[in-house]
Amino acid sequence: MMDRLAVDELITDYATAVDDGDWEAYRGLFTPDGRADYRSAGGIEGEPARVADWLAESMRLFSMRQHLIVNRRLRFGLHDQDTGDTVRVRADYVNPMRLAEDEGAAPDFVCGGRYAFGLLRTHDGWRLREVVVQEKWRRLPSPAPAPVIN
């Protein structure tokens, strides 16, 4: 039960780091050999420092971000013959965001899909070894209606 709570906290820390733009915290969530893959959402794949730099740049478009990560399914596994050293997490997400140019407005960009997280227990606790985003849908801002000419 304690491992399950610790894993849940790590996933929440991941969402919070991305939403708050805390890229140092984001990098610290990963193992040294960690990888993140955002290609299905139009992003990149690579080691956490490189991906954090890409996220920092691309997230500037949005003044508000809010990852809602739900339906978490955990499967504890084996690593080096030691039960419980790894865990696979599948979780759905909805991510409303507001474009920076629309400050104060409701979110106008929303996407959703599924995360696949691979975690490893380290001496410092659970860390992300792999994050794969599978974006399933997105809703873009509606264009402004054309002016009515009388």
Side-chain angles (χ1 to χ4, degrees):
M1 188 55 88
M2 295 304 293
D3 282 332
R4 185 173 179 84
L5 291 171
V7 167
D8 189 64
E9 182 177 3
L10 181 63
I11 302 302
T12 299
D13 288 346
Y14 165 85
T16 302
V18 173
D19 290 343
D20 292 349
D22 188 345
W23 308 117
E24 184 176 335
Y26 176 92
R27 290 177 187 94
L29 298 172
F30 286 83
T31 62
D33 63 342
R35 307 287 290 174
D37 185 347
Y38 293 86
R39 291 177 293 180
S40 77
I44 66 170
E45 184 272 335
E47 53 91 19
R50 180 173 167 254
V51 172
D53 291 345
W54 171 80
L55 283 168
E57 184 63 31
S58 51
M59 291 294 131
R60 287 184 187 179
L61 296 172
F62 303 101
S63 62
M64 185 278 299
R65 302 179 291 272
Q66 185 178 30
H67 281 74
L68 306 170
I69 302 177
V70 299
N71 302 333
R72 299 174 192 197
R73 291 176 289 315
L74 283 66
R75 301 288 182 261
F76 289 89
L78 302 175
H79 179 73
D80 293 333
Q81 310 298 319
D82 196 9
T83 303
D85 279 350
T86 64
V87 64
R88 305 289 303 165
V89 179
R90 294 256 182 210
D92 297 323
Y93 72 88
V94 176
N95 184 14
M97 297 184 282
R98 179 178 42 240
L99 291 168
E101 62 201 37
D102 295 334
E103 191 63 44
D108 45 16
F109 180 100
V110 183
C111 60
R114 180 164 290 156
Y115 277 110
F117 296 100
L119 286 75
L120 178 69
R121 184 195 320 265
T122 71
H123 294 297
D124 296 321
W126 288 100
R127 293 292 180 263
L128 297 169
R129 186 179 238 173
E130 177 183 45
V131 174
V132 178
V133 174
Q134 181 189 7
E135 185 176 271
K136 294 183 177 186
W137 61 271
R138 75 173 45 176
R139 186 187 77 213
L140 300 172
S142 300
V148 176
I149 302 174
N150 291 328

